[in-house]
Amino acid sequence: MVRRVGRCAAFGRPDLCALAVEAAGRLRSPREVVLAWVDGFNRRDTLAAAAPYHDDAVNTEVTAGRPTVRRQAVLEELLEFFRALPDNYTRPVIVFEDGEWAVRESSGEVLGGASFARLPANGRSFTLQGCGFVQVIAGKITFQRGSWDKAG
């Protein structure tokens, strides 16, 4: 089934109002999209974790620095992340949804103490706590802005 999403034109992104196809016959909600990303991430499946992103998505992880633009760049960063930190997980603490936005608070752990961001490898595991704001239009992540509140 194909469903046209016309409301997104009102949000200044008519380029993202293309036809969207979902196997379930409906578009996934922002919450469902975020949870699908978490599932792919925790399976370390780079294709599944990158699939929810629109081709022209922008992902800014404030703690990491520069924005990542385009799904292909998100995929490449995920590959690099999983190579550097193969033993990790994230757990959503809570996911709120409001219109085309989802807000996720999460907690996760990196096992084995590999280097991460600006933290040098030290042989110990560490916890990551953070949050993110995710805009989902036509069933795809178009914009994401997140931050880690704590790494240590």
Side-chain angles (χ1 to χ4, degrees):
M1 171 186 258
V2 177
R3 180 177 172 191
R4 181 177 298 276
V5 178
R7 70 183 176 97
C8 60
F11 294 97
R13 296 293 306 266
D15 57 315
L16 300 178
C17 292
L19 295 176
V21 179
E22 284 296 324
R26 65 174 182 82
L27 295 174
R28 293 181 295 177
S29 71
R31 185 177 195 284
E32 291 169 325
V33 170
V34 166
L35 294 177
W37 176 86
V38 167
D39 178 63
F41 183 89
N42 283 338
R43 289 185 289 117
R44 290 154 200 79
D45 182 338
T46 53
L47 294 176
Y53 290 88
H54 185 274
D55 287 341
D56 295 322
V58 175
N59 179 12
T60 302
E61 293 299 333
V62 176
T63 314
R66 65 175 177 27
T68 303
V69 180
R70 301 195 54 78
R71 179 177 32 212
Q72 182 62 37
V74 169
L75 177 68
E76 291 166 8
E77 283 191 355
L78 286 165
L79 284 167
E80 182 180 329
F81 182 86
F82 293 141
R83 266 193 294 261
L85 306 168
D87 295 321
N88 69 81
Y89 71 88
T90 189
R91 183 184 79 248
V93 174
I94 193 161
V95 179
F96 291 107
E97 180 178 322
D98 184 18
E100 63 189 20
W101 289 90
V103 179
R104 172 186 50 89
E105 179 186 353
S106 60
S107 179
E109 189 170 4
V110 176
L111 309 172
S115 63
F116 177 74
R118 295 181 201 108
L119 299 173
N122 61 15
R124 297 184 318 215
S125 299
F126 58 91
T127 300
L128 289 174
Q129 295 175 320
C131 64
F133 299 88
V134 181
Q135 183 180 34
V136 176
I137 297 176
K140 295 290 185 179
I141 296 170
T142 58
F143 178 80
Q144 181 173 333
R145 185 173 183 88
S147 179
W148 303 297
D149 296 331
K150 177 183 176 184

